[in-house]
Amino acid sequence: MKKLIPALIVLAGVPNVALAQSNDPPPAAEGGAGSNLPDVQIIQEQQAAPKPATPKPAAAKPKPKPRPVQQQASSPPPLPPQDDEFEAIAEISEPAQILANSPYGATAGAGAAERAQFGSINPINARQVLPGDLQNYAGSGARVSTTDLDSQRPLTSHEALARVPGVVSVLDDGIGRHGGISVRGAPFRRSRKVLVMEDGQPINFAPYLDSSSHYTPPIERIESIEVLKGNVVNYGPLNNFGVVNFRNLSPFGANETLMKFGVGTTEGSDRDWNNFRHVHTRQNLGHVGVVASYSGSETGGAWDNEVLRYNDFYGAIGFKGDKQDLTVSGGFFRQRDNYDETNFEGTESDFFANRRRKSGDGFGNLVGLDDSNYNGDHYRLQIAHNYYFDKDTTLTTRLYGADHERARFYPDRFEDAGGGELDEGDADDIIFEGRDRRYRNYGVDSRLEFANLQLFNGMTHDFQTGIQYREEKFSNTNRIGERGEFLDFDDRGDVEDQQKLDASAFSAFMQTAIHVTRNFTITPGVRFESYDVDYRETVDGDTVGQSNHDHVLPSLAFAWEAMQRTTLYGGYHRGLTPHIVRDAEANGFPLPEEVGDNFQLGLRSTAMRGVTLDMAIFHSKIDNYQFKEAELNDDGLQVFGVLDEVEFQGFEMFGRLDSRPHHGGPWNFFGEAVYTYVDGKIERGIDVDGEDVFDVSGNRIPESVRHFANLTIGVEHEAGWDLSVSWNYRGDFHTDSQNTPYGGDEDGEVGLVPDVWLVSARGNFKVNDQLSLFISGQNLTDEFYISDRSDGIKPGIGRTIFGGFTLKFDH
């Protein structure tokens, strides 16, 4: 309770939301509050730089020049201004160029919105984690924009993220719901070491207790995806590697109604046809805006009997007055899959001989695999409030909560009527088991920004500070059925054992962007994390454990525009990754945790005509590194081990070349290259296998992919059509700290996962202003390959082709 007091103090000072009909001062046009603010031009994300406006009178205070929006991986990037334009652009102060999906709705929010577009640090409202224009951002960041999503037509968010340097994604299912995102060498499984958010709210179910993620929002309702790497001080925990934020439609955007439908097939699946459907509408009625969205899909998976299904409902309502705005958003996501984590056990040669067959007796002669099922219900709510004291001072506060219940059930063994195990049997002898988990969390987050503060010698700085209080509750239940009883979400069987875990966390941060010169910014910052964990067993006994943690995490970053549209950036930050607690008995109390020192140095540029470039080198040293053991323990479960010290060092690069800026005309031929190299090495660590102890120092870090590349070539025409082909390379990786070689384990659960090249393509055709057609294909050569070795060998998804249409109306 004592940790809640600081948050309540901040909330007590937040004024009530005032709507248009309230007694607010008159709007800017009438000489009231905000009259000294510029008009704001609302644009779409990929619109080019604004045309020069008439300069203000000499008495007006000069402001930093607005910059053309740099959208990494956009198509095509804006053409850099010519030399004779630079002087004119330097004097342009209005109109400001603001993203159409801005979370700032009030009239007086123009200052905060402009800083969110062109600032050197993260926007104050956590729904947007990166500036719209990344050129002078003091850190490494990338955005997959609306235009990128429309042209790429990704089937999953994982496919969309393949165009972001430093990010590696590995699919565990056909539509990417179960999480497999890695940033700069982090293990990809369940995205456990990456802070994954939706509108600034963590998707990781319990970051302080169990950071697994089995949910990502449908790509059809996502406006953009933001990736933040390095200098992560105002988000946490899970901030050693990076942050991925999925941004939903804002109710403050333009009116529109969109429908999207598609059908397709997946090679090797027993399901004849896949389908997905989506519809959303956004309507603004004066000072009130509303978004309503529905998405759904049924598609085949990696095994022949896998079918992935979801239905998603999302809504948001926004109220805006003169000096404040309020957004209430949330939704319900329902997942019902024929899916399980039980995979093939045997040699690699047996796996390739069996291929995708899991139905019937599948493998292992264990009937009931067709009835394995995964179920998830995810509820989410967020209330975000912005109050603008003036154009330079903003207070933003969020209340949020989520309730996620997931359960998976699968056949485990055969038993006779007396309870004895059988080598084989039929449906009457089957014993089903299950993992039944529920995560509940809620929190309050308040942030304050003071911009354009004066220092000395003409220098200014933008200061941000914030606090957060968060509660997490996690119920981890193992279940078992009676002989011949098939379990599912409605019949979950008996409780075999259960854990109850709780965490309360308080965090705070400060950072300031010091503008030493017009082109050079230094950003020092610090984050404080304090959290308490309680753990107890509720069936087998009253085993009780408690763990308390406090950390101070400093950071320092810089950005220097050394030449026009060419910026050198870099920095250091200390990060924190709490350990998974459900194996606390194995690791003991107090719990260890990962604390890392993280460095980066990078360069981004659009100075050359038609060329976009972003590259960085990075290094991380992390103590008490936790990873999931590939082999099962004596209870048949995978547990988490700890390595004393690990290091990651690597290089990432994004490059794009467009022809249109060179020759003009209706045609644009383009090429993109994304490459990530990570050398993940165990500096100190041991692996205990029964009575044997192995020194694994010098080995590769489990589940850390060394090489990843995505190469794309394409053509587009201003008439509204485009075609492109991509080659995606995922390098090899080990699944265990002993680095068992390929073919070194007869059960196939550990060993090298070989590299693979995959080919994808897509095409779009604009019929008219409302209707467009598309077709997209992944793994076009139908490669049969090993995707992972968790709970046995898992194949990658077979050739998948989708086609459909999008119908959009602007109102």
Side-chain angles (χ1 to χ4, degrees), residues 81-97:
Q82 303 303 301
D83 292 339
D84 56 358
E85 297 175 351
F86 282 137
E87 183 175 355
I89 289 178
E91 298 179 359
I92 298 171
S93 58
E94 311 309 338
Q97 187 183 26

Side-chain angles (χ1 to χ4, degrees), residues 755-803:
D755 60 353
V756 63
W757 278 97
L758 300 175
V759 182
S760 61
R762 75 283 313 160
N764 301 280
F765 177 71
K766 181 180 178 181
V767 178
N768 53 44
D769 289 341
Q770 288 77 41
L771 178 64
S772 61
L773 308 178
F774 64 87
I775 186 169
S776 175
Q778 293 78 36
N779 190 8
L780 292 178
T781 58
D782 196 27
E783 296 291 327
F784 184 75
Y785 64 98
I786 299 176
S787 174
D788 196 6
R789 291 182 184 266
S790 182
D791 294 309
I793 308 177
K794 175 92 175 191
I797 309 300
R799 178 170 50 233
T800 300
I801 297 176
F802 264 93

Side-chain angles (χ1 to χ4, degrees), residues 72-74 130 134 140-145 148-149 152 157-169 181-184 224-229 243-244 614 651-655 672-677 708-710 712 728:
Q72 188 177 60
S74 61
L130 288 174
L134 295 171
S140 179
R143 175 181 291 102
V144 183
S145 69
D148 299 327
L149 295 173
Q152 187 186 4
S157 59
H158 293 64
E159 186 184 356
L161 288 167
R163 302 174 77 184
V164 177
V167 176
V168 175
S169 58
I181 301 173
S182 164
V183 176
R184 291 184 171 177
S224 63
I225 308 174
E226 301 170 313
V227 181
L228 165 62
K229 301 161 291 180
V243 176
V244 176
D614 194 349
F651 168 78
E652 63 190 29
M653 183 203 73
F654 170 87
E672 282 185 4
V674 176
Y675 174 68
T676 302
Y677 168 79
F708 184 84
N710 193 76
T712 301
N728 181 273

